[in-house]
Amino acid sequence: MLIAHLSDPHLRPRGVLYQGLVDSNAMFEAALRQLEAMVPAPDLVLLTGDLVDEGGAADYAMAAELLGRIRQKLVVIPGNHDEREAFRACLGRNPFVAPSGPLHAAVGDAGAVRVLALDVTVPGRHHGEMDDAACLWLEARLAEEPERPTLIMMHQPPFESGIGCIDAYCCRQGQRLAAIVSRYPAVERILCGHIHRFMQLRFGGTLLVTAPSTTTAIALRLGAGAVPASFVEPPALLLHHWREGTGLVTHWVPIGSFPGPMPFF
């Protein structure tokens, strides 16, 4: 089973640049072309939040047009730049979009690996929260199939990365998530976005990875008091490959055209 994982496209209305500088729409279209060219094609596509940048109707109209190109089952959760009800309206025909409340979803019919989409966003705020309702929902879903290989997807990562400007907006009460996950060894990965960089760590007895943005990368500045910044680094997506007997392998896949193939390995 192949699962493509994109994040943080920050789409804008047609002809409008992200932050007035970067063509996020064109960069997401490049990511879609990469998906379309993959052989074999992914079985499932995940998008871990910040679908759009400002949450307006024109942003979501652009998002609906671009997402319509994805042939696979698509699971999308909101990020802190999304507006929950406009997001819901944009994706209302998607079977994995809840009709009210947080946009949690359990996807168990897409292949060998189950996906639990956990909406930890706090409307009107930039941080996430593992509140009582999120904890109860996640525990209940994990308990339904405790032995089945499972991915948990969420927007804000529940840890501090060392990049101070983004750590202020992490998912708070992450220790509650770690405690739940530690009781379910079948959780293969926790998949996050938000941080616009690839990171990996042990968390709650499993592996947690953050997907890079398809647009800009937050500067890797780990010094105390570092000035916040972003770069147009090579964009990328993650590809999670499940095989019986091997388990889940996660690949970092750069987006673009590169020299090759060459006759050696």
Side-chain angles (χ1 to χ4, degrees):
M1 181 180 183
L2 288 170
I3 302 170
H5 175 194
L6 296 85
S7 201
D8 296 82
H10 288 268
L11 299 174
R12 300 302 336 270
R14 186 181 306 279
V16 178
L17 299 179
Y18 170 55
Q19 299 294 321
L21 296 170
V22 179
D23 193 343
S24 56
N25 296 350
M27 296 179 82
F28 190 62
E29 288 188 274
L32 295 180
R33 289 194 296 272
Q34 190 100 355
L35 281 182
E36 292 162 358
M38 284 184 173
V39 179
D43 301 290
L44 183 65
V45 176
L46 312 180
L47 203 163
T48 46
D50 282 355
L51 175 58
V52 305
D53 190 52
E54 293 192 357
D59 284 31
Y60 282 110
M62 190 74 248
E65 178 181 330
L66 293 175
L67 294 181
R69 290 175 46 178
I70 296 175
R71 303 186 302 270
Q72 295 88 346
K73 287 186 177 181
L74 172 68
V75 187
V76 189
I77 52 172
N80 53 298
H81 282 263
D82 289 300
E83 198 286 318
R84 183 176 283 174
E85 296 312 315
F87 178 101
R88 198 189 315 273
C90 172
L91 291 151
R93 294 186 179 181
N94 185 305
F96 308 124
V97 173
S100 62
L103 289 152
H104 305 316
V107 185
D109 61 350
V113 178
R114 177 178 58 153
V115 175
L116 299 180
L118 184 63
D119 179 6
V120 297
T121 59
V122 180
R125 307 294 296 273
H126 285 294
H127 70 274
E129 188 86 30
M130 275 303 296
D131 59 17
D132 291 345
C135 290
L136 288 169
W137 183 89
L138 180 62
E139 181 93 49
R141 299 293 78 73
L142 288 170
E144 289 170 350
E145 297 184 86
E147 307 300 324
R148 186 172 177 186
T150 298
L151 305 180
I152 298 170
M153 57 184 288
M154 56 196 292
H155 182 63
Q156 292 97 336
F159 70 96
E160 291 190 354
S161 67
I163 302 174
C165 64
I166 196 69
D167 286 344
Y169 307 119
C170 67
C171 178
R172 298 175 185 174
Q173 301 192 76
Q175 73 279 3
R176 303 180 79 182
L177 175 62
I180 293 169
V181 170
S182 68
R183 295 194 285 273
Y184 296 92
V187 175
E188 291 285 337
R189 295 285 190 283
I190 300 171
L191 310 177
C192 301
H194 187 57
I195 216 156
H196 288 220
R197 302 200 65 85
F198 175 76
M199 296 184 183
Q200 176 178 279
L201 77 157
R202 294 284 297 175
F203 182 90
T206 189
L207 286 176
L208 185 153
V209 296
T210 66
S213 169
T214 59
T215 305
T216 55
I218 291 176
L220 183 58
R221 294 180 174 178
L222 302 175
V227 176
S230 291
F231 287 89
V232 184
E233 295 181 1
L237 57 86
L238 301 183
L239 187 68
H240 309 287
H241 186 192
W242 171 265
R243 289 189 297 161
E244 293 292 341
T246 299
L248 193 74
V249 178
T250 294
H251 300 272
W252 182 90
V253 182
I255 295 168
S257 298
F258 306 97
M262 299 177 182
F264 55 82
F265 60 92

